Amino acid sequence: MGRTRGTWNSRSTWAAGVALAALLAFTGYAILSGGDEDTDTPSKGGPSASASASPGPSATYAPPDDWTEPSSWAALPRGERTDDRGSQVGFPQSTEGAVAMMVTANTTAIEGEQSNVDEQLRIYRSYIGAADQSSENAEQIELAAIQTDKALAKQMGVSPGQPLPPGAYVRSTVVGYKVIKTSDSEVSAWLLSRVVQKNGEMEKEKGSYTRTLAGAQWEDGDWKLTGDATARAQQEVQGQAQPAMAAPGDAAFNRAGWTAIRQAS
């Protein structure tokens, strides 16, 4: 018998499948190669603890020389405490609190002895909802992160498992967001991140922008990234044009409707 919609026993069964795909989509580290320009590249590929990245074609992006003031800025709240993994948690139950959690969960760094495995498992354990936590998911995330660490080690001329060379790093920082839908218990948003990579002290830094779709739910007194919320976000934006990726200071950033993030002092 052929597969039909009737083979999905319930909406929750369907959502569970989307949850796994969404929460294991690669967003953290698009390993950069070639050229010095900024590459406007949506994330794609294997597993990661971060929220799901949107699919899309690659295109070259170079920030303009002139500065256009972002039309919308936000100073997002910080978490009220740090958990035992070193992650900020305890964000307020508000739209800004949910976005602040998403931004924190997508702000990462691989440098020195801090590996991609370390970062991805920290994000998974600190920010992923209970329903999406399983030994199988954790194993998939760890295995994919190991492959990324091996690829970085090869690029940077060290053996897998060794610390990166002095001055080498890969960092991801969220620079803008666009809320899709919000309620007291669920928030969805696009995140715009800047990913930079430097292969050593004497190497030139290279960068790209990524656009990520994230959904969060209020769970046990804090915001968590969940597959169900991300699935609903995917449904909400289905058929819509994805917001263009552009650096803060580019007029296209405003036209796309991004809100710039003001760094906390």
Side-chain angles (χ1 to χ4, degrees), residues 145-176:
I146 287 170
Q147 294 306 309
T148 300
D149 280 330
K150 287 181 177 178
L152 282 172
K154 183 177 180 180
Q155 277 195 8
M156 297 182 181
V158 296
S159 299
Q162 288 186 330
L164 297 184
Y169 55 77
V170 183
R171 299 169 182 161
S172 179
T173 305
V174 181
V175 297

Side-chain angles (χ1 to χ4, degrees), residues 164-249:
L164 297 184
Y169 55 77
V170 183
R171 299 169 182 161
S172 179
T173 305
V174 181
V175 297
Y177 70 91
K178 184 176 183 178
V179 172
I180 298 167
K181 198 169 183 178
T182 183
S183 71
D184 289 343
S185 60
E186 186 166 321
V187 175
S188 55
W190 288 106
L191 304 178
L192 177 66
S193 297
R194 167 85 167 146
V195 181
V196 294
Q197 178 174 331
K198 189 173 182 181
N199 291 351
E201 287 178 336
M202 305 305 294
E203 300 293 330
K204 187 172 182 179
E205 181 182 88
K206 297 175 289 185
S208 70
Y209 287 88
T210 66
R211 174 184 50 213
T212 305
L213 183 64
Q217 291 178 279
W218 186 252
E219 182 178 294
D220 296 330
D222 204 356
W223 291 104
K224 298 291 183 179
L225 297 168
T226 73
D228 283 347
T230 301
R232 285 187 283 271
Q234 289 171 333
Q235 288 186 304
E236 191 71 28
V237 302
Q238 189 172 9
Q240 299 178 13
Q242 298 169 3
M245 290 183 280

Side-chain angles (χ1 to χ4, degrees), residues 7 9 11-12 25 33 59-60 99-100 117 123 138 142-143 146 154 164 193-194 207 216 226 234:
T7 61
N9 295 326
R11 180 179 177 82
S12 62
S33 62
T60 298
V99 172
V117 170
I123 293 166
E142 183 174 10
L143 290 174
I146 287 170
K154 183 177 180 180
L164 297 184
S193 297
R194 167 85 167 146
T226 73
Q234 289 171 333

Side-chain angles (χ1 to χ4, degrees), residues 18-156:
V18 175
L20 183 62
L23 294 175
L24 299 183
F26 180 88
T27 60
Y29 301 106
I31 299 176
L32 309 176
S33 62
D36 296 325
E37 71 274 6
D38 296 301
T39 306
D40 184 14
T41 309
S43 305
K44 53 187 178 181
S48 167
S50 306
S52 171
S54 59
S58 297
T60 298
Y61 172 74
D65 293 331
D66 56 333
W67 172 268
T68 300
E69 181 69 16
S71 56
S72 180
W73 286 91
L76 296 173
R78 295 175 61 87
E80 66 178 15
R81 64 186 184 278
T82 300
D83 67 12
D84 57 5
R85 304 170 191 94
S87 302
Q88 276 189 51
V89 295
F91 293 90
Q93 190 176 7
S94 63
T95 299
E96 292 76 16
V99 172
M101 181 279 293
M102 296 175 187
V103 168
T104 303
N106 282 272
T107 300
T108 52
I110 304 172
E111 52 190 308
E113 296 186 1
Q114 183 79 7
S115 70
N116 190 36
V117 170
D118 296 331
E119 282 289 72
Q120 292 298 310
L121 290 179
R122 176 186 64 81
I123 293 166
Y124 172 76
R125 290 165 179 151
S126 294
Y127 299 116
I128 300 300
D132 297 302
Q133 297 262 357
S134 71
S135 58
E136 292 82 3
N137 286 1
E139 182 179 11
Q140 288 188 57
I141 288 167
E142 183 174 10
L143 290 174
I146 287 170
Q147 294 306 309
T148 300
D149 280 330
K150 287 181 177 178
L152 282 172
K154 183 177 180 180
Q155 277 195 8
M156 297 182 181

